[in-house]
Amino acid sequence: MIKRTIAQPPEKLTGIEEIEVPHSAVGFKAIKSALTFIKDEVGIVKGIGLLAKLNQKDGFDCPGCAWPDPDEKRSFLAEYCENGAKAVAEEATKNRVSPGFFALHSVNELGQLSDYELGKKGRLTHPMYLREGGTHYEEISWEDAFELIGKTLNGLDSPDEAVFYTSGRTSNEAAYLYQLFVRQFGTNNLPDCSNMCHESSGSALSETVGIGKGSVTLGDFKHADLVIVMGQNPGTNHPRMLTALGETKHNGGKIISVNPLPEVGLKNFIEPQNPLKWLGSGTELSDLFLQVKINGDVALLKAILLLLLQKEKANPGTVFDQEFIAKQTQGYDAFITDLEKYKIPELIAQTGLTHKEVVEAAEMIADNKKIIVCWAMGLTQHKNGVDNIREVVNLLLLKGSIGKPGAGTCPVRGHSNVQGDRTMGIWEKMPEEFLDNLDAYFDFKSPRKHGYDVIKAIDAMHKKEARFFLGMGGNFNSATPDTEFTAQALRNCDLTVHISTKINRSHLVHGKEALILPCLGRTEIDYQASGEQFVTTENSMGVIAKSVGNLEPLSEFLKSETAIVAGMAKATVKNSKVDWDAMAGNYDLIRNAVEATIPGFDQYNDRVRIPGGFYLPNNARENDFSSTHTGKANFTINELSDIVLEKEQYLMMTIRTHDQYNTTIYGLNDRYRGILNERRVVFMNQQDIDEAGLKKDDLVDLISHFEGQERLAEKFIVIPYSIPRNCTATYFPETNVLVPLQSKARISNQPTSKTVVITVRKRE
Ligand SMILES: Nc1nc2c(c(=O)[nH]1)N[C@H]1C(S)=C(S)[C@@H](COP(=O)(O)OP(=O)(O)OC[C@H]3O[C@@H](n4cnc5c(=O)[nH]c(N)nc54)[C@H](O)[C@@H]3O)O[C@H]1N2
Ligand SMILES: Nc1nc2c(c(=O)[nH]1)N[C@H]1C(S)=C(S)[C@@H](COP(=O)(O)OP(=O)(O)OC[C@H]3O[C@@H](n4cnc5c(=O)[nH]c(N)nc54)[C@H](O)[C@@H]3O)O[C@H]1N2
Ligand SMILES: [Mo]
């Protein structure tokens, strides 16, 4: 069994306190919590100045989530949330990690700190270098850092021995230049955080409706009859979405939530815009809460679809949109034939729900015509993650609920520019058309062989088939599955390079040599040769807008991500015809190149200067499905979960607390689930706890089981919680060590971080 190294956070308990689960989300406590983070990290005067620019048309895009801003007026309080304020506080912190700090603390010593303690050390100020065999990072000049990168890359046997990862905060401009550099160097090895996030959504949506992005706009929430929120915790991860759900309700629409946990944000919400309401009882959001078993969604959807089919047969044309089906779709008959193979009681048994609850959901769906389905990681991170989403699409197609106001698909994206990075070409398998355009504009030949995604990249580094790793943002060691395996993969590299704002565990799990390159964050002013620059991002609904920071850079040694890419490119691709300095000196030139090579960016530089930005084209929104492989929207046949639990086994989902941003730990509380000051907890059903002979607050070890292998995570506190039988929940990244690398979704190859088979062992 795998034991811990510094690749994992230490197994220290921090002193749990349990409180009652609150009745509603947001409200006064959220505002108070936001201001406390701002005060402690940034200082109140500078902090308020920052919040005033957050998500405003003349300000910067929140580095938190990708939820869109209203197209129309934006109010001061409404356009940020508690967790956006925490994200800003984390970036604009007063604390600094300088060369002096690294001289005092060895890499090994830093590895003993928790992720929370590490993050609180502050922002990186200087480029740092760890020499082979070295114990401490030392200061290095930018020139020497670029030269080392160029030399190492050019010393590889093949460009495919290098891996270039991207996290989703990188701006469009930096991402575009970065993928150009990587392709000019000669590889498509561009894995990204999206491989672990919405890859299943992209795979399912491209196949079924011809675009890997969602079809709805923010305005659609005002017109929807019914919004179904599946596998998503907006109260914590997309708090501004609660405002949109509030609007649905306000206009008479209904909400169904489907989740193994009764997440507070989905139950009740107190508007942040209106201080008069902060102390009130709030808006009840969900009309129906379906507490589904982990990975029971395909079974639930199939049961609902069968009930709808029965109703449609009884009264043809009243439940399904037959005209839409006939005109716009393909595969209906085969889909219905397959669906009829299933038996409703058997399906419902897999969901853990009652017959009555499923019938109620089917009736709400049958009665309404304008339906939006929203989802996030609760649907994508499963072996049948793609099936989950294709089944959602089947439902929407039957109802003709796509490509019209108030209806459609809404995969809710994570990182603030994860969608834009893909549009800019950060993908290991960009289509030929994109590569052809790039080649024509820049007069070179980009590689055509598909590159590594996250899982394949880890595997290749582990086998020493890849020997160079670069992370454009992110925290690869801690965000990926199978922590100890991944750590070994990184340690196998000749050189690991991280372009980062803050110190994280990936800097401590390094190759023979390592570099940390500190970059500007969203909140900072970006000075370049032609003057102050702005960047652009794409939100979850395909709006491209400008983002400009308002703080002086915290150190003169920081470079923008774009400038860093240019520096690396010049040191590496010696025969390039690209004028890297000109592009990095004036981002308008990068945007001109984007306009020339990517459809939908006509007059990019002009349109993005209009406050609020512009929408990219979206065929599904326009009710046009001609870009799928059949030229129509496609019904698909999907598989149920095939996980069979043995005695004493549970399914574990790894989720986020209210006080973290992925691997960045803002604080130790999960207020909305009643847990304060502790992350090493395992939520279990009370009956399961009783049957296992355990009690509340017992200390346990968790062991995962996959293809005969066992993985171990030690010291977790048992917490009885409202969760279906045989289901458990823990926080990521502490339990990533339990997620097997080879456990992945069919088609999308996404890690299955929400379905890990575990047993629980009481500690002596
Ligand atoms: N404050 C904050 N904001 C964030 C982030 C953050 O860490 N902190 N992360 C950002 C990123 S990158 C992303 S991708 C998003 C993530 O946003 P979410 O997807 O909301 O994040 P998770 O915590 O993974 O929560 C998954 C939800 O799915 C439920 N779930 C788990 N398994 C199943 C299942 O089998 N079926 C169903 N129906 N539900 C299930 C869980 O109970 C939980 O409510 O948030 C983004 N925004
Ligand atoms: N078990 C489990 N694992 C998961 C998930 C899960 O639900 N369960 N979720 C997955 C998902 S959805 C995602 S998206 C991934 C996230 O994976 P990543 O994107 O790799 O991880 P983050 O924690 O978001 O990255 C945080 C780091 O980014 C750097 N950073 C912050 N802002 C900037 C910036 O502006 N520029 C640069 N260059 N660096 C910056 C900081 O140094 C910080 O330490 O994790 C995945 N891993
Ligand atoms: Mo994500």
Side-chain angles (χ1 to χ4, degrees), residues 37-100:
F37 273 91
I38 286 284
K39 178 167 80 44
D40 293 351
E41 291 284 328
V42 189
I44 206 76
V45 175
K46 189 168 147 196
I48 295 290
L50 266 178
L51 292 184
K53 291 286 178 196
L54 185 49
N55 289 331
Q56 298 300 326
K57 289 181 182 174
D58 63 343
F60 59 92
D61 181 38
C62 180
C65 72
W67 188 256
D69 311 305
D71 291 334
E72 322 87 25
K73 78 170 177 42
R74 299 190 186 168
S75 76
F76 170 67
L77 272 174
E79 306 326 336
Y80 68 86
C81 65
E82 175 189 355
N83 282 345
K86 288 183 204 161
V88 167
E90 189 77 15
E91 186 176 297
T93 175
K94 301 178 282 214
N95 303 328
R96 301 283 178 269
V97 172
S98 58

Side-chain angles (χ1 to χ4, degrees), residues 541-605:
M541 291 170 188
V543 178
I544 304 285
K546 138 184 178 195
S547 171
V548 55
N550 66 340
L551 295 183
E552 281 301 322
L554 65 92
S555 146
E556 59 182 302
F557 295 98
L558 299 188
K559 282 187 187 290
S560 74
E561 292 177 341
T562 315
I564 298 173
V565 170
M568 295 191 299
K570 281 197 321 184
T572 309
V573 195
K574 298 291 184 192
N575 56 356
S576 175
K577 292 175 192 145
V578 177
D579 187 344
W580 302 101
D581 283 335
M583 298 246 240
N586 179 357
Y587 298 175
D588 277 354
L589 301 182
I590 305 180
R591 287 184 285 267
N592 286 343
V594 171
E595 175 175 344
T597 52
I598 306 179
F601 284 88
D602 314 293
Q603 299 169 310
Y604 191 0
N605 271 309

Side-chain angles (χ1 to χ4, degrees), residues 311-330:
K311 277 177 171 287
E312 172 69 13
K313 280 187 174 164
N315 284 300
T318 57
V319 178
F320 293 173
D321 185 338
Q322 294 293 357
E323 194 190 327
F324 177 87
I325 294 170
K327 243 172 64 192
Q328 296 285 54
T329 71
Q330 187 280 141

Side-chain angles (χ1 to χ4, degrees), residues 18-157:
E18 290 167 62
I19 55 163
E20 214 176 302
V21 173
H23 173 69
S24 29
V26 194
F28 180 67
K29 281 217 171 107
I31 310 271
K32 190 169 150 229
S33 156
L35 292 177
T36 307
F37 273 91
I38 286 284
K39 178 167 80 44
D40 293 351
E41 291 284 328
V42 189
I44 206 76
V45 175
K46 189 168 147 196
I48 295 290
L50 266 178
L51 292 184
K53 291 286 178 196
L54 185 49
N55 289 331
Q56 298 300 326
K57 289 181 182 174
D58 63 343
F60 59 92
D61 181 38
C62 180
C65 72
W67 188 256
D69 311 305
D71 291 334
E72 322 87 25
K73 78 170 177 42
R74 299 190 186 168
S75 76
F76 170 67
L77 272 174
E79 306 326 336
Y80 68 86
C81 65
E82 175 189 355
N83 282 345
K86 288 183 204 161
V88 167
E90 189 77 15
E91 186 176 297
T93 175
K94 301 178 282 214
N95 303 328
R96 301 283 178 269
V97 172
S98 58
F101 172 90
F102 284 109
L104 277 178
H105 305 285
S106 71
V107 169
N108 230 331
E109 210 185 314
L110 292 173
Q112 307 307 321
L113 299 180
S114 69
D115 294 331
Y116 171 64
E117 291 162 332
L118 215 47
K120 290 293 166 222
K121 299 293 175 202
R123 282 281 298 277
L124 295 155
T125 58
H126 288 67
M128 302 299 299
Y129 170 59
L130 185 68
R131 62 183 72 246
E132 188 165 354
T135 53
H136 291 66
Y137 273 96
E138 301 160 52
E139 195 178 338
I140 185 174
S141 70
W142 280 104
E143 293 67 38
D144 289 350
F146 291 146
E147 202 186 301
L148 175 64
I149 292 170
K151 200 178 80 196
T152 310
L153 284 172
N154 288 321
L156 297 173
D157 293 334

Side-chain angles (χ1 to χ4, degrees), residues 63 91 124 165-170 193-194 196-198 377 381 414-415 418 471-476 478-481 499-505 507 517 519-522 561 654-656 661-664 731-733 735-736 739 750 753-754:
E91 186 176 297
L124 295 155
Y165 174 70
T166 314
S167 169
R169 271 194 197 175
T170 296
C193 69
S194 203
M196 301 181 272
C197 187
H198 270 290
M377 299 304 98
Q381 296 177 334
H415 270 297
V418 61
M472 173 60 90
N475 185 356
F476 193 80
S478 301
T480 52
I499 298 167
S500 312
T501 49
K502 301 205 60 174
I503 183 169
N504 66 42
R505 203 161 287 280
H507 304 144
L517 305 180
C519 66
L520 294 173
R522 286 272 172 83
E561 292 177 341
T654 55
I655 55 177
R656 293 154 171 80
Y661 192 92
N662 301 336
T663 68
T664 300
Y731 300 139
F732 111 85
T735 46
N736 280 33
V739 185
Q750 180 165 347
S753 309
K754 297 286 188 271

Side-chain angles (χ1 to χ4, degrees), residues 629-643:
H629 62 286
T630 60
K632 300 255 170 150
N634 292 303
F635 281 101
T636 51
I637 293 171
N638 299 303
E639 294 182 37
L640 294 171
S641 170
D642 60 359
I643 297 172

Side-chain angles (χ1 to χ4, degrees), residues 15-20 674-676 696-697 717-720:
I16 191 167
E17 264 180 69
E18 290 167 62
I19 55 163
E20 214 176 302
I675 303 292
L676 301 185
K696 176 173 179 306
D697 296 335
I717 301 170
V718 172
I719 301 289

